[in-house]
Amino acid sequence: MTRVPNPLNPRGKKERIDALAATSADTSGGGVAVATVDDAGHVEESTGVSLVASAWQRLRRNPVFLIGLTITTLFVLLAIFAPLIAPHDPADPILLPEVRPQTNPIPPAREGFPLGADNAGRDILSRLIVGSRQTLVVGVMATLFGLLGGLTLGTLAGAFGGWVDSVVMRVVDVMLSIPSLLLAFSIAAIAARASQWTVIIAIAVVQVPIFARLLRGSMLAQRASDHVLAARALGVKESAIVFRHMLPNSLGPVIVQSTLVVATSIIDAAALSFLGLGNPDDRQPEWGQMLGKAQPYIYDHPALAVWPALCIIVVALGFTLMGESLREALDPKSRR
């Protein structure tokens, strides 16, 4: 029998269809079963790939993501095991007897001190290694607090809408109208005493409107989705719709954004510490603090500022590369 070609598909290629019967989960590979139909009407089932699995397949072949992941992983491991890796106590002025304010204010590199010492005779390499822990704590804690605040405001605005949405968004607009660093400086300067927590709170407040606006947009998109409309039609409680249907499906872009915000938080924390608004106790080193202490010696001994500046740049670059790669991999518009 001669088969008449399909005029809508003259080349006879298989067309992918979304069939209700083909959406069952594949327990062996973690994928989703989909169906294809050819011109003769034969249906063939195959295993599809979830969004997360598809994103991972793209990420593991992306050299930008792998570079960012490597930098971030090394930084986290360094911060965790810093006390064990550091060759000396970062607060111990071992080379202080060799410091001469007029002739030798900064002891040069030597055996056991590959980067030399600072003006107080403390090992620079040990201070850089231990300072990574303070930098990680400030960046992660500030991002976490900003994320929690943004989730609260974004959920209120996106779930209820109406006057609640208007009030929350006007507050967010006011916060966004102020330059982020200026707002962080103002909050940190208001504190009665500079400390590590003032830096964390100041940076967290700056990040709240970013997360709030992003989550609010995702929540509004979820409000008009079919599964939310179906849940309302079935009489599901509004709280269950918000926290079991809308919020979980809106967190993807927020989680990706948090990776980028960590990089911004590290830079902002370094800026605040550089200006003396961070932890005043230099026995607990932090990269921005080290950068600020090196300013009087920047012309004659630039290495004091170069090393902490390089650490800040490389770590921020690692989080940025990883975050941008995650955003691109999870964005359906970037798929080919």
Side-chain angles (χ1 to χ4, degrees):
M1 182 190 310
T2 303
R3 186 175 64 180
V4 179
N6 185 352
L8 298 178
N9 192 7
R11 296 184 181 180
K13 292 183 177 180
K14 294 181 179 180
E15 298 175 348
R16 184 167 178 167
I17 64 172
D18 295 326
L20 293 177
T23 57
S24 58
D26 183 9
T27 56
S28 60
V32 176
V34 296
T36 57
V37 59
D38 58 17
D39 294 334
H42 299 124
V43 178
E44 298 180 3
E45 292 188 1
S46 60
T47 302
V49 180
S50 65
L51 177 62
V52 176
S54 176
W56 172 244
Q57 290 178 1
R58 301 176 65 189
L59 287 173
R60 65 183 182 182
R61 296 191 298 267
N62 187 349
V64 175
F65 172 77
L66 295 179
I67 293 174
L69 180 63
T70 301
I71 294 174
T72 304
T73 303
L74 292 176
F75 168 64
V76 173
L77 292 176
L78 181 66
I80 293 175
F81 299 103
L84 302 177
I85 299 175
H88 304 285
D89 184 354
D92 188 5
I94 303 176
L95 300 181
L96 183 60
E98 300 184 16
V99 175
R100 302 289 185 271
Q102 301 298 328
T103 60
N104 186 35
I106 304 297
R110 65 191 65 191
E111 184 178 357
F113 300 86
L115 301 182
D118 61 4
N119 61 308
R122 298 168 297 194
D123 181 33
I124 294 178
L125 178 60
S126 300
R127 292 180 65 80
L128 289 173
I129 294 175
V130 177
S132 64
R133 170 172 290 190
Q134 301 298 322
T135 302
L136 177 64
V137 169
V138 172
V140 172
M141 294 297 290
T143 302
L144 181 60
F145 290 160
L147 177 61
L148 293 177
L151 287 178
T152 302
L153 295 179
T155 302
L156 290 174
F160 295 100
W163 67 270
V164 177
D165 183 19
S166 299
V167 171
V168 172
M169 284 300 102
R170 296 301 75 77
V171 174
V172 169
D173 290 340
V174 171
M175 297 178 68
L176 290 175
S177 65
I178 305 174
S180 58
L181 276 178
L182 179 60
L183 180 59
F185 292 158
S186 302
I187 296 173
I190 293 174
R193 179 184 177 187
S195 66
Q196 184 176 357
W197 283 105
T198 60
V199 175
I200 293 175
I201 295 174
I203 299 174
V205 172
V206 171
Q207 307 300 344
V208 166
I210 300 175
F211 288 117
R213 182 176 286 274
L214 183 60
L215 182 61
R216 180 243 185 190
S218 299
M219 293 280 287
L220 291 179
Q222 289 294 323
R223 288 183 65 183
S225 61
D226 293 339
H227 67 93
V228 171
L229 296 176
R232 284 199 175 96
L234 293 173
V236 179
K237 294 182 179 180
E238 190 66 25
S239 59
I241 293 176
V242 171
F243 293 106
R244 295 180 58 185
H245 296 276
M246 296 173 60
L247 185 59
N249 291 301
S250 303
L251 291 178
V254 178
I255 294 175
V256 174
Q257 181 66 27
S258 64
T259 307
L260 298 172
V261 167
V262 172
T264 306
S265 300
I266 290 175
I267 296 175
D268 291 346
L272 292 175
S273 297
F274 174 81
L275 295 175
L277 298 176
N279 187 3
D281 186 5
D282 61 357
R283 293 175 299 177
Q284 299 178 356
E286 194 269 332
W287 291 343
Q289 176 197 81
M290 295 176 63
L291 192 59
K293 297 289 185 180
Q295 295 310 298
Y297 312 96
I298 189 68
Y299 294 107
D300 297 329
H301 303 278
L304 282 179
V306 169
W307 292 117
L310 283 177
C311 292
I312 295 170
I313 293 172
V314 171
V315 171
L317 178 64
F319 279 104
T320 301
L321 293 178
M322 188 172 64
E324 290 291 347
S325 301
L326 284 172
R327 174 184 292 177
E328 181 181 355
L330 294 173
D331 186 4
K333 295 180 181 179
S334 65
R335 295 170 177 269
R336 293 184 175 91

